[in-house]
Amino acid sequence: MIESHPFPPFVPDHARLLIMGTFPPQPSRWSMEFYYPNQINDFWRIMGIVFYDNRDRFYDEATKQFRLKDIKDFLIERGIAMSDTGAKVRRLKDNASDKWLEIVEPVDLESLLKMMPDCHALATTGEKAASILAELTSTPLPRMGEMISTQYAPLGGRELKIFRMPSSSRAYPLALDKKAAIYADMMKTLHLL
């Protein structure tokens, strides 16, 4: 069965950074209808640590829900857009692992970036997303935690910095504070922190 992405891209006015994962888990794992909806994915905890020194800034322990309004307000304030690299996928196993996702159709990156004229930085959250973005931009795959620069020909050679961040999945073997430190370095480089 082929699945289409359930969420539209989240594009604040004047977005300067686009963060891209691969594809959301199955809806049964969602605690909200937005990017990184799985309670056991640490993306929003990483953002809480990086920007507020509080891993639970975007999570309500009492209700076991992410605070979606706070998340969207934060993204708008910081100029951070959200999308995924997969527009249509096929799950090869009944789980949320990127390893078992077949990308049937990647995101239309050119159209997405046209919506964000101020965006000159892209960050991927994991190896599969980084590989897809490398294919879409005809660039080499950066090492985890590193960045490459390119001129994106479809948009007249727009200068892009492409960062490969560690996966926020708990299956990725790196401590939360170390993941947060890598994300913080990127945000400082982009003057978002």
Side-chain angles (χ1 to χ4, degrees):
M1 182 175 109
I2 294 175
E3 294 179 49
S4 294
H5 203 291
F7 312 134
F10 184 80
V11 181
D13 291 342
H14 310 297
R16 295 170 43 208
L17 168 64
L18 171 59
I19 296 179
M20 306 182 82
T22 307
F23 200 82
Q26 301 95 324
S28 62
R29 297 176 180 264
W30 299 356
S31 70
M32 64 176 173
E33 292 188 15
F34 197 67
Y35 294 88
Y36 303 97
N38 192 334
Q39 293 176 44
I40 61 168
N41 184 293
D42 284 326
F43 182 80
W44 297 114
R45 289 177 185 87
I46 291 168
M47 293 298 104
I49 292 168
V50 169
F51 287 94
Y52 302 98
D53 196 27
N54 176 0
R55 61 175 277 149
D56 292 323
R57 170 64 180 79
F58 299 113
Y59 188 70
D60 185 338
E61 187 64 44
T63 62
K64 305 286 190 216
Q65 298 284 315
F66 287 107
R67 295 182 177 101
L68 183 54
K69 183 184 182 315
D70 288 353
I71 287 169
K72 288 182 176 181
D73 289 348
F74 156 75
L75 294 171
I76 291 166
E77 176 189 329
R78 297 290 175 162
I80 299 173
M82 304 294 295
S83 182
D84 279 324
T85 53
K88 294 185 179 180
V89 303
R90 182 179 293 116
R91 295 185 199 276
L92 304 178
K93 287 197 175 180
D94 189 28
N95 65 32
S97 172
D98 280 0
K99 180 179 177 181
W100 302 108
L101 273 183
E102 174 191 347
I103 303 301
V104 176
E105 179 185 314
V107 68
D108 182 348
L109 184 64
E110 182 180 349
S111 294
L112 187 55
L113 288 175
K114 279 181 180 173
M115 296 166 54
M116 295 180 274
D118 299 322
C119 182
H120 293 272
L122 292 82
T124 56
T125 59
E127 183 175 5
K128 188 164 204 117
S131 298
I132 296 164
L133 189 58
E135 288 176 25
L136 293 174
T137 56
S138 302
T139 56
L141 183 67
R143 290 178 153 178
M144 197 281 291
E146 295 187 359
M147 177 268 293
I148 61 164
S149 292
T150 190
Q151 281 78 40
Y152 186 58
L155 292 183
R158 185 193 298 186
E159 178 78 25
L160 293 178
K161 289 179 171 49
I162 300 173
F163 295 81
R164 179 178 167 192
M165 297 288 98
S167 171
S168 54
S169 167
R170 292 184 185 174
Y172 186 77
L174 190 65
L176 181 61
D177 61 332
K178 291 186 173 157
K179 290 180 186 182
I182 295 168
Y183 279 83
D185 286 345
M186 175 187 69
M187 296 300 182
K188 288 174 188 168
T189 297
L190 297 174
H191 307 289
L192 293 173
L193 182 62

